[in-house]
Amino acid sequence: MYTVKQLKKLLKEYGIGLDFFNPDEDYWNDASVIYSERRILEENKHLLSEKDLELLKKYDLKAIEIYEKYKNVNTHTVKDWLVDIAKIAKSNLSPQLK
């Protein structure tokens, strides 16, 4: 179980990870960390404040933009991790995207 403080830190790290996302093959480990952060946030988002949930949506929109930009790049970073990050983000934003 995560505390709200830990989740806030993960939220911040998720945003920073997206800021520095690189689709190159050498960055697959960084992408796996971003995915892990996002998965944990999804599983525990019921503990986040409205303000934090709005920030999560903002970051998810960014994740989808990054995915759209790099979806045709054939690296493990994109195919193994970015695709899964985008799936979670799209699921979270599905009411907004319709």
Side-chain angles (χ1 to χ4, degrees):
M1 189 69 165
Y2 290 88
T3 66
V4 172
K5 185 176 179 178
Q6 290 169 322
L7 292 172
K8 285 179 174 276
K9 184 177 180 186
L10 280 176
L11 180 60
K12 182 178 178 180
E13 290 171 1
Y14 173 55
I16 291 169
L18 293 173
D19 284 341
F20 293 98
F21 183 83
N22 187 323
D24 294 343
E25 196 69 52
D26 295 339
Y27 291 90
W28 69 268
N29 195 41
D30 293 340
S32 71
V33 170
I34 297 168
Y35 168 75
S36 295
E37 291 165 347
R38 184 58 189 92
R39 186 183 49 76
I40 292 166
L41 289 165
E42 187 64 22
E43 292 169 357
N44 295 280
K45 69 182 179 183
H46 63 280
L47 298 172
L48 296 174
S49 69
E50 285 298 317
K51 182 180 174 183
D52 290 333
L53 288 170
E54 286 302 313
L55 189 55
L56 180 59
K57 288 179 183 178
K58 177 182 168 187
Y59 292 155
D60 282 346
L61 285 170
K62 186 175 195 166
I64 292 168
E65 288 174 10
I66 292 169
Y67 169 73
E68 290 299 324
K69 181 177 180 179
Y70 294 119
K71 67 183 176 185
N72 294 321
V73 175
N74 192 19
T75 64
H76 290 294
T77 303
V78 173
K79 300 298 181 189
D80 293 344
W81 298 110
L82 183 57
V83 168
D84 290 335
I85 294 166
K87 283 180 188 175
I88 296 171
K90 286 179 181 179
S91 174
N92 188 44
L93 295 172
S94 62
Q96 270 182 264
L97 297 176
K98 292 182 179 179

